[in-house]
Amino acid sequence: MPEGWEWDETLYLGSAPYYARGRLPYAPGLADRLADALSLDGTGRLLDVGCGPGILTLEFAHLFTEVVAIDPDADMLAEGARRATRFGIENVRWVQSRAEELSGDLGSFRVATFGQSFHWMDRNRVAALMLTLLEPGGAFVHVSDVKEPIEQPAGLPFPPPPYAEIRALVQRYLGPVPRAGQGLLRYGSPDGEAEVLRQAGFLEEVRLRVPAAGPLERSTDDLVAWVYSLSGSAPHLFEDRRETFEQELRDLLVAVSGTGRFCEQPPDTEVFIWRTSG
C-alpha cells in the first residue's frame, strides 16, 4: 500500500444499495468458463474476498457446496444477503472481516475469488494468507473488466452514457483528486499483481477472456447508481450538497437523452488464475 494510506471503513459508506444496479455486469458465461478451467462440479468451498454485495458470490455459488463471503463493510454484506434471499441462494455464509484478518478458523477452500478488490488490500500479506487457506492445487482467482477502450457500435438505439461529463460534475463537487473514505485516493489500481503472487508461492497465472454480451440499455437511475457505487463518489462524500449534486446529475442526463435511456457496449471480462502447488 502507498505510504500514509490506511483502510477506511467509510470507503463505500452508503454505496451498498447502488452497487449491483450501478456497475456494469460481468460477461455472461463467466461461471461456465471458470467451471471448465477449474473442473468445478458443485463440491468444495469458495472464499469470496472483498465480496461487496455478492456480485461474484452469487454468480459462482452453484459451483460449490459452500461459499464464505467476506467484506469489511456491514452494509455490503447485508445487501448481499438480501440479494441471496431474493435469488433463493442458501449456501452462502456472510462474514464481516478485512482480508488481512482472516485465519485458519474458516477452514480450507478450493477457490478464493477477488472481484476487483485485491488492490484495496495489503497484497503481500493477503497473498500469503490465501496460500495457507487454499487446498493443495487450489486457485486464487482475480476477476476484472478488461481495461481497454471500448469502441461503441454504430446504430445504438440510445446515446451512450456521458461518462466524461459525469466525472467533470463529480470533480466540481469533490475536487480533482478522487476521494477515498475520509482521505484522498493516492493511486489507481496498482500493477505488479503477478509478481506479488509469484513471490508468495503461487504458480504461473492462466488468463481467460470472456466476451461481453451485446449493447446494454441503461436508465437514468442506473447511471445515478453507478456514480454512487464508486468509492470516489460514494453518497456520504457529498454531505449536505448531495441533493443538489443529484439534481444536477439528473439534469445533465436528461440533456443528453430526453428519454432517460442510454445504451453502451460493456467490456469483456478477464480472469486471472494462480494455482497452489499440490
Side-chain angles (χ1 to χ4, degrees), residues 192-221:
E193 179 178 285
E195 185 60 27
V196 170
L197 292 164
R198 194 175 299 118
Q199 290 184 3
F202 285 90
L203 305 181
E204 289 297 315
E205 69 185 49
V206 173
R207 180 176 184 261
L208 308 176
R209 181 163 179 157
V210 187
L216 178 69
E217 187 176 320
R218 305 266 272 165
S219 70
T220 294
D221 287 341

PDB file of all heavy atoms in Angstrom, residues 192-221:
ATOM      1  N   GLY A 192       1.667  -5.060 -11.017  1.00  0.00           N
ATOM      2  CA  GLY A 192       2.577  -5.964 -10.330  1.00  0.00           C
ATOM      3  C   GLY A 192       1.898  -7.081  -9.567  1.00  0.00           C
ATOM      4  O   GLY A 192       2.536  -7.765  -8.762  1.00  0.00           O
ATOM      5  N   GLU A 193       0.615  -7.311  -9.836  1.00  0.00           N
ATOM      6  CA  GLU A 193      -0.106  -8.359  -9.121  1.00  0.00           C
ATOM      7  C   GLU A 193       0.524  -9.732  -9.338  1.00  0.00           C
ATOM      8  O   GLU A 193       0.653 -10.527  -8.396  1.00  0.00           O
ATOM      9  CB  GLU A 193      -1.560  -8.366  -9.581  1.00  0.00           C
ATOM     10  CG  GLU A 193      -2.424  -9.422  -8.941  1.00  0.00           C
ATOM     11  CD  GLU A 193      -3.867  -9.334  -9.405  1.00  0.00           C
ATOM     12  OE1 GLU A 193      -4.576  -8.418  -8.956  1.00  0.00           O
ATOM     13  OE2 GLU A 193      -4.262 -10.169 -10.234  1.00  0.00           O
ATOM     14  N   ALA A 194       0.932 -10.012 -10.560  1.00  0.00           N
ATOM     15  CA  ALA A 194       1.523 -11.316 -10.859  1.00  0.00           C
ATOM     16  C   ALA A 194       2.774 -11.542 -10.027  1.00  0.00           C
ATOM     17  O   ALA A 194       3.003 -12.635  -9.503  1.00  0.00           O
ATOM     18  CB  ALA A 194       1.829 -11.433 -12.348  1.00  0.00           C
ATOM     19  N   GLU A 195       3.600 -10.519  -9.886  1.00  0.00           N
ATOM     20  CA  GLU A 195       4.833 -10.671  -9.121  1.00  0.00           C
ATOM     21  C   GLU A 195       4.547 -10.881  -7.640  1.00  0.00           C
ATOM     22  O   GLU A 195       5.214 -11.669  -6.967  1.00  0.00           O
ATOM     23  CB  GLU A 195       5.722  -9.444  -9.320  1.00  0.00           C
ATOM     24  CG  GLU A 195       7.082  -9.554  -8.650  1.00  0.00           C
ATOM     25  CD  GLU A 195       7.894 -10.729  -9.167  1.00  0.00           C
ATOM     26  OE1 GLU A 195       7.692 -11.156 -10.318  1.00  0.00           O
ATOM     27  OE2 GLU A 195       8.745 -11.226  -8.388  1.00  0.00           O
ATOM     28  N   VAL A 196       3.533 -10.175  -7.127  1.00  0.00           N
ATOM     29  CA  VAL A 196       3.134 -10.369  -5.732  1.00  0.00           C
ATOM     30  C   VAL A 196       2.765 -11.820  -5.479  1.00  0.00           C
ATOM     31  O   VAL A 196       3.212 -12.444  -4.503  1.00  0.00           O
ATOM     32  CB  VAL A 196       1.946  -9.445  -5.371  1.00  0.00           C
ATOM     33  CG1 VAL A 196       1.353  -9.811  -4.013  1.00  0.00           C
ATOM     34  CG2 VAL A 196       2.380  -7.984  -5.369  1.00  0.00           C
ATOM     35  N   LEU A 197       1.960 -12.402  -6.352  1.00  0.00           N
ATOM     36  CA  LEU A 197       1.500 -13.771  -6.155  1.00  0.00           C
ATOM     37  C   LEU A 197       2.606 -14.784  -6.419  1.00  0.00           C
ATOM     38  O   LEU A 197       2.702 -15.810  -5.741  1.00  0.00           O
ATOM     39  CB  LEU A 197       0.291 -14.027  -7.050  1.00  0.00           C
ATOM     40  CG  LEU A 197      -0.943 -13.230  -6.612  1.00  0.00           C
ATOM     41  CD1 LEU A 197      -1.981 -13.189  -7.713  1.00  0.00           C
ATOM     42  CD2 LEU A 197      -1.551 -13.814  -5.351  1.00  0.00           C
ATOM     43  N   ARG A 198       3.464 -14.477  -7.364  1.00  0.00           N
ATOM     44  CA  ARG A 198       4.595 -15.361  -7.638  1.00  0.00           C
ATOM     45  C   ARG A 198       5.532 -15.425  -6.430  1.00  0.00           C
ATOM     46  O   ARG A 198       5.976 -16.497  -6.023  1.00  0.00           O
ATOM     47  CB  ARG A 198       5.341 -14.860  -8.880  1.00  0.00           C
ATOM     48  CG  ARG A 198       6.324 -15.859  -9.472  1.00  0.00           C
ATOM     49  CD  ARG A 198       6.924 -15.324 -10.754  1.00  0.00           C
ATOM     50  NE  ARG A 198       5.899 -15.077 -11.757  1.00  0.00           N
ATOM     51  CZ  ARG A 198       5.623 -13.889 -12.274  1.00  0.00           C
ATOM     52  NH1 ARG A 198       6.286 -12.809 -11.891  1.00  0.00           N
ATOM     53  NH2 ARG A 198       4.679 -13.755 -13.183  1.00  0.00           N
ATOM     54  N   GLN A 199       5.793 -14.267  -5.844  1.00  0.00           N
ATOM     55  CA  GLN A 199       6.668 -14.252  -4.673  1.00  0.00           C
ATOM     56  C   GLN A 199       6.028 -14.945  -3.473  1.00  0.00           C
ATOM     57  O   GLN A 199       6.730 -15.494  -2.622  1.00  0.00           O
ATOM     58  CB  GLN A 199       7.026 -12.800  -4.323  1.00  0.00           C
ATOM     59  CG  GLN A 199       7.952 -12.144  -5.315  1.00  0.00           C
ATOM     60  CD  GLN A 199       8.362 -10.748  -4.890  1.00  0.00           C
ATOM     61  OE1 GLN A 199       8.000 -10.266  -3.817  1.00  0.00           O
ATOM     62  NE2 GLN A 199       9.137 -10.081  -5.742  1.00  0.00           N
ATOM     63  N   ALA A 200       4.699 -14.927  -3.406  1.00  0.00           N
ATOM     64  CA  ALA A 200       4.011 -15.620  -2.309  1.00  0.00           C
ATOM     65  C   ALA A 200       4.085 -17.126  -2.451  1.00  0.00           C
ATOM     66  O   ALA A 200       3.880 -17.854  -1.471  1.00  0.00           O
ATOM     67  CB  ALA A 200       2.557 -15.180  -2.256  1.00  0.00           C
ATOM     68  N   GLY A 201       4.363 -17.622  -3.670  1.00  0.00           N
ATOM     69  CA  GLY A 201       4.481 -19.057  -3.876  1.00  0.00           C
ATOM     70  C   GLY A 201       3.462 -19.662  -4.813  1.00  0.00           C
ATOM     71  O   GLY A 201       3.406 -20.885  -4.965  1.00  0.00           O
ATOM     72  N   PHE A 202       2.643 -18.816  -5.465  1.00  0.00           N
ATOM     73  CA  PHE A 202       1.672 -19.339  -6.423  1.00  0.00           C
ATOM     74  C   PHE A 202       2.368 -19.657  -7.745  1.00  0.00           C
ATOM     75  O   PHE A 202       3.395 -19.064  -8.101  1.00  0.00           O
ATOM     76  CB  PHE A 202       0.559 -18.316  -6.663  1.00  0.00           C
ATOM     77  CG  PHE A 202      -0.418 -18.217  -5.529  1.00  0.00           C
ATOM     78  CD1 PHE A 202      -0.203 -17.317  -4.488  1.00  0.00           C
ATOM     79  CD2 PHE A 202      -1.543 -19.020  -5.492  1.00  0.00           C
ATOM     80  CE1 PHE A 202      -1.106 -17.224  -3.433  1.00  0.00           C
ATOM     81  CE2 PHE A 202      -2.440 -18.943  -4.437  1.00  0.00           C
ATOM     82  CZ  PHE A 202      -2.221 -18.036  -3.410  1.00  0.00           C
ATOM     83  N   LEU A 203       1.776 -20.592  -8.483  1.00  0.00           N
ATOM     84  CA  LEU A 203       2.305 -20.960  -9.786  1.00  0.00           C
ATOM     85  C   LEU A 203       1.891 -19.939 -10.831  1.00  0.00           C
ATOM     86  O   LEU A 203       1.070 -19.067 -10.583  1.00  0.00           O
ATOM     87  CB  LEU A 203       1.800 -22.359 -10.164  1.00  0.00           C
ATOM     88  CG  LEU A 203       2.097 -23.471  -9.140  1.00  0.00           C
ATOM     89  CD1 LEU A 203       1.567 -24.805  -9.652  1.00  0.00           C
ATOM     90  CD2 LEU A 203       3.585 -23.556  -8.836  1.00  0.00           C
ATOM     91  N   GLU A 204       2.455 -20.065 -12.016  1.00  0.00           N
ATOM     92  CA  GLU A 204       2.215 -19.081 -13.073  1.00  0.00           C
ATOM     93  C   GLU A 204       0.732 -18.958 -13.398  1.00  0.00           C
ATOM     94  O   GLU A 204      -0.035 -19.923 -13.323  1.00  0.00           O
ATOM     95  CB  GLU A 204       2.987 -19.467 -14.338  1.00  0.00           C
ATOM     96  CG  GLU A 204       4.494 -19.280 -14.211  1.00  0.00           C
ATOM     97  CD  GLU A 204       4.890 -17.831 -13.992  1.00  0.00           C
ATOM     98  OE1 GLU A 204       4.346 -16.962 -14.692  1.00  0.00           O
ATOM     99  OE2 GLU A 204       5.733 -17.573 -13.118  1.00  0.00           O
ATOM    100  N   GLU A 205       0.357 -17.774 -13.768  1.00  0.00           N
ATOM    101  CA  GLU A 205      -1.051 -17.461 -13.994  1.00  0.00           C
ATOM    102  C   GLU A 205      -1.568 -18.033 -15.310  1.00  0.00           C
ATOM    103  O   GLU A 205      -0.808 -18.252 -16.255  1.00  0.00           O
ATOM    104  CB  GLU A 205      -1.262 -15.951 -14.024  1.00  0.00           C
ATOM    105  CG  GLU A 205      -0.647 -15.276 -15.248  1.00  0.00           C
ATOM    106  CD  GLU A 205      -0.764 -13.766 -15.196  1.00  0.00           C
ATOM    107  OE1 GLU A 205      -0.428 -13.188 -14.163  1.00  0.00           O
ATOM    108  OE2 GLU A 205      -1.163 -13.180 -16.224  1.00  0.00           O
ATOM    109  N   VAL A 206      -2.868 -18.265 -15.328  1.00  0.00           N
ATOM    110  CA  VAL A 206      -3.607 -18.571 -16.555  1.00  0.00           C
ATOM    111  C   VAL A 206      -4.600 -17.443 -16.753  1.00  0.00           C
ATOM    112  O   VAL A 206      -5.304 -17.057 -15.817  1.00  0.00           O
ATOM    113  CB  VAL A 206      -4.345 -19.922 -16.444  1.00  0.00           C
ATOM    114  CG1 VAL A 206      -5.233 -20.143 -17.655  1.00  0.00           C
ATOM    115  CG2 VAL A 206      -3.339 -21.056 -16.287  1.00  0.00           C
ATOM    116  N   ARG A 207      -4.671 -16.887 -17.941  1.00  0.00           N
ATOM    117  CA  ARG A 207      -5.575 -15.775 -18.211  1.00  0.00           C
ATOM    118  C   ARG A 207      -6.684 -16.219 -19.140  1.00  0.00           C
ATOM    119  O   ARG A 207      -6.436 -16.830 -20.188  1.00  0.00           O
ATOM    120  CB  ARG A 207      -4.831 -14.596 -18.854  1.00  0.00           C
ATOM    121  CG  ARG A 207      -5.723 -13.390 -19.166  1.00  0.00           C
ATOM    122  CD  ARG A 207      -4.886 -12.241 -19.716  1.00  0.00           C
ATOM    123  NE  ARG A 207      -5.685 -11.045 -19.942  1.00  0.00           N
ATOM    124  CZ  ARG A 207      -6.180 -10.667 -21.111  1.00  0.00           C
ATOM    125  NH1 ARG A 207      -5.966 -11.422 -22.188  1.00  0.00           N
ATOM    126  NH2 ARG A 207      -6.880  -9.558 -21.227  1.00  0.00           N
ATOM    127  N   LEU A 208      -7.919 -15.928 -18.746  1.00  0.00           N
ATOM    128  CA  LEU A 208      -9.090 -16.182 -19.580  1.00  0.00           C
ATOM    129  C   LEU A 208      -9.722 -14.848 -19.939  1.00  0.00           C
ATOM    130  O   LEU A 208      -9.729 -13.907 -19.135  1.00  0.00           O
ATOM    131  CB  LEU A 208     -10.130 -17.016 -18.821  1.00  0.00           C
ATOM    132  CG  LEU A 208      -9.681 -18.314 -18.166  1.00  0.00           C
ATOM    133  CD1 LEU A 208     -10.847 -18.928 -17.390  1.00  0.00           C
ATOM    134  CD2 LEU A 208      -9.155 -19.288 -19.207  1.00  0.00           C
ATOM    135  N   ARG A 209     -10.257 -14.772 -21.116  1.00  0.00           N
ATOM    136  CA  ARG A 209     -11.017 -13.584 -21.528  1.00  0.00           C
ATOM    137  C   ARG A 209     -12.401 -14.048 -21.945  1.00  0.00           C
ATOM    138  O   ARG A 209     -12.545 -14.879 -22.853  1.00  0.00           O
ATOM    139  CB  ARG A 209     -10.319 -12.841 -22.662  1.00  0.00           C
ATOM    140  CG  ARG A 209     -11.055 -11.580 -23.097  1.00  0.00           C
ATOM    141  CD  ARG A 209     -10.156 -10.676 -23.897  1.00  0.00           C
ATOM    142  NE  ARG A 209     -10.850  -9.474 -24.354  1.00  0.00           N
ATOM    143  CZ  ARG A 209     -10.245  -8.331 -24.683  1.00  0.00           C
ATOM    144  NH1 ARG A 209      -8.921  -8.256 -24.603  1.00  0.00           N
ATOM    145  NH2 ARG A 209     -10.934  -7.290 -25.082  1.00  0.00           N
ATOM    146  N   VAL A 210     -13.410 -13.500 -21.283  1.00  0.00           N
ATOM    147  CA  VAL A 210     -14.790 -13.906 -21.538  1.00  0.00           C
ATOM    148  C   VAL A 210     -15.484 -12.756 -22.254  1.00  0.00           C
ATOM    149  O   VAL A 210     -15.575 -11.647 -21.715  1.00  0.00           O
ATOM    150  CB  VAL A 210     -15.522 -14.235 -20.223  1.00  0.00           C
ATOM    151  CG1 VAL A 210     -16.895 -14.828 -20.519  1.00  0.00           C
ATOM    152  CG2 VAL A 210     -14.701 -15.188 -19.365  1.00  0.00           C
ATOM    153  N   PRO A 211     -15.968 -12.980 -23.473  1.00  0.00           N
ATOM    154  CA  PRO A 211     -16.562 -11.879 -24.236  1.00  0.00           C
ATOM    155  C   PRO A 211     -17.865 -11.382 -23.635  1.00  0.00           C
ATOM    156  O   PRO A 211     -18.683 -12.171 -23.142  1.00  0.00           O
ATOM    157  CB  PRO A 211     -16.779 -12.475 -25.628  1.00  0.00           C
ATOM    158  CG  PRO A 211     -16.817 -13.950 -25.416  1.00  0.00           C
ATOM    159  CD  PRO A 211     -15.933 -14.240 -24.241  1.00  0.00           C
ATOM    160  N   ALA A 212     -18.033 -10.073 -23.674  1.00  0.00           N
ATOM    161  CA  ALA A 212     -19.260  -9.457 -23.175  1.00  0.00           C
ATOM    162  C   ALA A 212     -20.420  -9.763 -24.106  1.00  0.00           C
ATOM    163  O   ALA A 212     -20.242 -10.172 -25.255  1.00  0.00           O
ATOM    164  CB  ALA A 212     -19.074  -7.951 -23.061  1.00  0.00           C
ATOM    165  N   ALA A 213     -21.611  -9.545 -23.584  1.00  0.00           N
ATOM    166  CA  ALA A 213     -22.801  -9.626 -24.421  1.00  0.00           C
ATOM    167  C   ALA A 213     -22.866  -8.377 -25.293  1.00  0.00           C
ATOM    168  O   ALA A 213     -21.976  -7.521 -25.273  1.00  0.00           O
ATOM    169  CB  ALA A 213     -24.042  -9.744 -23.551  1.00  0.00           C
ATOM    170  N   GLY A 214     -23.935  -8.243 -26.053  1.00  0.00           N
ATOM    171  CA  GLY A 214     -24.111  -7.079 -26.891  1.00  0.00           C
ATOM    172  C   GLY A 214     -24.433  -5.839 -26.080  1.00  0.00           C
ATOM    173  O   GLY A 214     -24.393  -5.847 -24.846  1.00  0.00           O
ATOM    174  N   PRO A 215     -24.740  -4.735 -26.753  1.00  0.00           N
ATOM    175  CA  PRO A 215     -25.002  -3.470 -26.075  1.00  0.00           C
ATOM    176  C   PRO A 215     -26.067  -3.598 -24.985  1.00  0.00           C
ATOM    177  O   PRO A 215     -27.038  -4.345 -25.127  1.00  0.00           O
ATOM    178  CB  PRO A 215     -25.470  -2.560 -27.212  1.00  0.00           C
ATOM    179  CG  PRO A 215     -24.812  -3.115 -28.432  1.00  0.00           C
ATOM    180  CD  PRO A 215     -24.803  -4.601 -28.220  1.00  0.00           C
ATOM    181  N   LEU A 216     -25.862  -2.860 -23.920  1.00  0.00           N
ATOM    182  CA  LEU A 216     -26.711  -2.917 -22.744  1.00  0.00           C
ATOM    183  C   LEU A 216     -27.454  -1.594 -22.590  1.00  0.00           C
ATOM    184  O   LEU A 216     -26.857  -0.515 -22.641  1.00  0.00           O
ATOM    185  CB  LEU A 216     -25.855  -3.165 -21.502  1.00  0.00           C
ATOM    186  CG  LEU A 216     -26.563  -3.224 -20.148  1.00  0.00           C
ATOM    187  CD1 LEU A 216     -27.427  -4.482 -20.060  1.00  0.00           C
ATOM    188  CD2 LEU A 216     -25.534  -3.206 -19.020  1.00  0.00           C
ATOM    189  N   GLU A 217     -28.766  -1.685 -22.403  1.00  0.00           N
ATOM    190  CA  GLU A 217     -29.553  -0.476 -22.174  1.00  0.00           C
ATOM    191  C   GLU A 217     -29.450  -0.073 -20.708  1.00  0.00           C
ATOM    192  O   GLU A 217     -29.503  -0.917 -19.818  1.00  0.00           O
ATOM    193  CB  GLU A 217     -31.016  -0.729 -22.559  1.00  0.00           C
ATOM    194  CG  GLU A 217     -31.879   0.524 -22.511  1.00  0.00           C
ATOM    195  CD  GLU A 217     -33.295   0.276 -22.985  1.00  0.00           C
ATOM    196  OE1 GLU A 217     -33.455  -0.470 -23.978  1.00  0.00           O
ATOM    197  OE2 GLU A 217     -34.229   0.816 -22.358  1.00  0.00           O
ATOM    198  N   ARG A 218     -29.300   1.233 -20.496  1.00  0.00           N
ATOM    199  CA  ARG A 218     -29.159   1.761 -19.141  1.00  0.00           C
ATOM    200  C   ARG A 218     -30.131   2.921 -18.964  1.00  0.00           C
ATOM    201  O   ARG A 218     -30.403   3.672 -19.892  1.00  0.00           O
ATOM    202  CB  ARG A 218     -27.733   2.269 -18.916  1.00  0.00           C
ATOM    203  CG  ARG A 218     -26.662   1.242 -19.192  1.00  0.00           C
ATOM    204  CD  ARG A 218     -26.272   0.512 -17.943  1.00  0.00           C
ATOM    205  NE  ARG A 218     -25.221   1.233 -17.245  1.00  0.00           N
ATOM    206  CZ  ARG A 218     -24.871   0.998 -15.996  1.00  0.00           C
ATOM    207  NH1 ARG A 218     -25.525   0.091 -15.296  1.00  0.00           N
ATOM    208  NH2 ARG A 218     -23.882   1.660 -15.432  1.00  0.00           N
ATOM    209  N   SER A 219     -30.632   3.078 -17.743  1.00  0.00           N
ATOM    210  CA  SER A 219     -31.559   4.160 -17.436  1.00  0.00           C
ATOM    211  C   SER A 219     -30.842   5.261 -16.661  1.00  0.00           C
ATOM    212  O   SER A 219     -29.715   5.097 -16.188  1.00  0.00           O
ATOM    213  CB  SER A 219     -32.728   3.635 -16.603  1.00  0.00           C
ATOM    214  OG  SER A 219     -32.279   3.294 -15.301  1.00  0.00           O
ATOM    215  N   THR A 220     -31.536   6.387 -16.512  1.00  0.00           N
ATOM    216  CA  THR A 220     -31.007   7.470 -15.687  1.00  0.00           C
ATOM    217  C   THR A 220     -30.724   6.976 -14.275  1.00  0.00           C
ATOM    218  O   THR A 220     -29.672   7.268 -13.691  1.00  0.00           O
ATOM    219  CB  THR A 220     -32.003   8.643 -15.652  1.00  0.00           C
ATOM    220  OG1 THR A 220     -32.109   9.203 -16.975  1.00  0.00           O
ATOM    221  CG2 THR A 220     -31.551   9.729 -14.692  1.00  0.00           C
ATOM    222  N   ASP A 221     -31.640   6.208 -13.701  1.00  0.00           N
ATOM    223  CA  ASP A 221     -31.434   5.692 -12.351  1.00  0.00           C
ATOM    224  C   ASP A 221     -30.228   4.752 -12.292  1.00  0.00           C
ATOM    225  O   ASP A 221     -29.510   4.723 -11.284  1.00  0.00           O
ATOM    226  CB  ASP A 221     -32.680   4.969 -11.858  1.00  0.00           C
ATOM    227  CG  ASP A 221     -33.823   5.917 -11.513  1.00  0.00           C
ATOM    228  OD1 ASP A 221     -33.561   7.119 -11.298  1.00  0.00           O
ATOM    229  OD2 ASP A 221     -34.976   5.450 -11.460  1.00  0.00           O
TER     230      ASP A 221
END
